Amino acid sequence: MLFRSAPRDDVMPEIKPFLKNAAILEKGALDGLTKEEIEKTMSPEKNDYILISRLKNKEHVTFAEKYILPKLQKLIDEYESDCDLILFLCTGEFPDTFTANRPLIFPQKIISALIPNLINDKALYVIVPKSEQIAQSLKRWSGLVKTVYVGYGNPYDKNFNFEPLISDIKEKNPSMILLDCMGYTESFKTKLQNAVGKPVILSRTLIARVISELI
């Protein structure tokens, strides 16, 4: 089961090739809500943990994580009997407060365990979708790697200018780049890798490879 505003036809085509033997059920914590409703009732306040998602109509929206936690638990309760495992299709940090009778897979935990062992003592550059997420990303990764830089680039905005981000990466000269959102695509990874000449980790396919081992 993949928890996000469902179905995620912008993500799943690049994940499904790794999950050929799996039947996939998609349910989203934002399902049934309009962008206006989300912005009115779920907008982040000071010190909130910020998430971003694409909606079914291809608009994107920013919201505070705290508002979707009970919605996620409700989805787990309703659908876990239909699943062998449950994947949170988001690289954000989630609290260890969910209850389930099936394995819960959090991409953030997998990525946070893997990247420090790949980067060693070298510099990591993390890319997040929104500038409002930079502080929370720095807080997270500064406790895991020796040197980290964070920049932002919105994968859901086709008009977003990524050139300043690319210039910053070249200036910082990290050893590795992490696309820290499920919204980034394989094509963007390839373009970025060609532009900066550094290894780029794409979260969606990394997690898909891990899940493929479980099924």
Side-chain angles (χ1 to χ4, degrees), residues 10-62:
D10 61 316
V11 177
M12 294 311 299
E14 294 185 0
I15 289 182
K16 285 182 178 179
F18 298 95
L19 309 177
K20 293 179 181 179
N21 297 321
I24 299 173
L25 172 63
E26 294 185 65
K27 297 294 177 180
L30 301 178
D31 287 354
L33 298 175
T34 66
K35 182 177 182 180
E36 291 72 25
E37 289 171 333
I38 295 167
E39 291 176 338
K40 183 177 180 179
T41 62
M42 303 171 68
S43 293
E45 299 174 333
K46 185 178 180 180
N47 298 324
D48 278 341
Y49 191 85
I50 300 171
L51 297 176
I52 183 173
S53 183
R54 198 197 78 154
L55 304 177
K56 288 182 181 179
N57 63 3
K58 299 184 180 181
E59 292 184 305
H60 63 275
V61 65
T62 303

Side-chain angles (χ1 to χ4, degrees), residues 97-189:
T97 55
F98 296 104
T99 59
N101 295 315
R102 298 289 188 271
L104 300 178
I105 310 300
F106 297 93
Q108 173 267 326
K109 292 186 177 182
I110 296 171
I111 294 169
S112 294
L114 178 63
I115 295 299
N117 290 288
L118 294 177
I119 200 72
N120 296 316
D121 290 332
K122 298 178 181 179
L124 172 69
Y125 197 107
V126 179
I127 301 178
V128 294
K130 302 282 283 185
S131 60
E132 296 92 330
Q133 296 174 302
I134 290 178
Q136 66 191 36
S137 183
L138 279 171
K139 180 180 179 181
R140 167 183 164 188
W141 285 103
S142 61
L144 297 172
V145 299
K146 184 176 181 180
T147 303
V148 61
Y149 307 106
V150 180
Y152 73 98
N154 192 336
Y156 304 121
D157 182 357
K158 64 180 181 179
N159 296 317
F160 188 87
N161 180 14
F162 283 94
E163 290 305 317
L165 174 65
I166 292 173
S167 296
D168 190 54
I169 294 172
K170 290 180 178 179
E171 179 182 340
K172 298 295 194 303
N173 193 31
S175 294
M176 183 182 298
I177 300 158
L178 171 64
L179 297 173
D180 202 359
C181 176
M182 288 293 189
Y184 295 110
T185 65
E186 287 186 332
S187 63
F188 178 69
K189 169 188 173 175

Side-chain angles (χ1 to χ4, degrees), residues 47-83:
N47 298 324
D48 278 341
Y49 191 85
I50 300 171
L51 297 176
I52 183 173
S53 183
R54 198 197 78 154
L55 304 177
K56 288 182 181 179
N57 63 3
K58 299 184 180 181
E59 292 184 305
H60 63 275
V61 65
T62 303
F63 56 96
E65 180 192 72
K66 63 185 180 184
Y67 294 114
I68 66 165
L69 299 180
K71 298 177 184 293
L72 290 171
Q73 183 63 62
K74 183 178 180 180
L75 287 173
I76 292 172
D77 295 340
E78 187 172 356
Y79 293 102
E80 67 172 344
S81 62
D82 299 323
C83 306

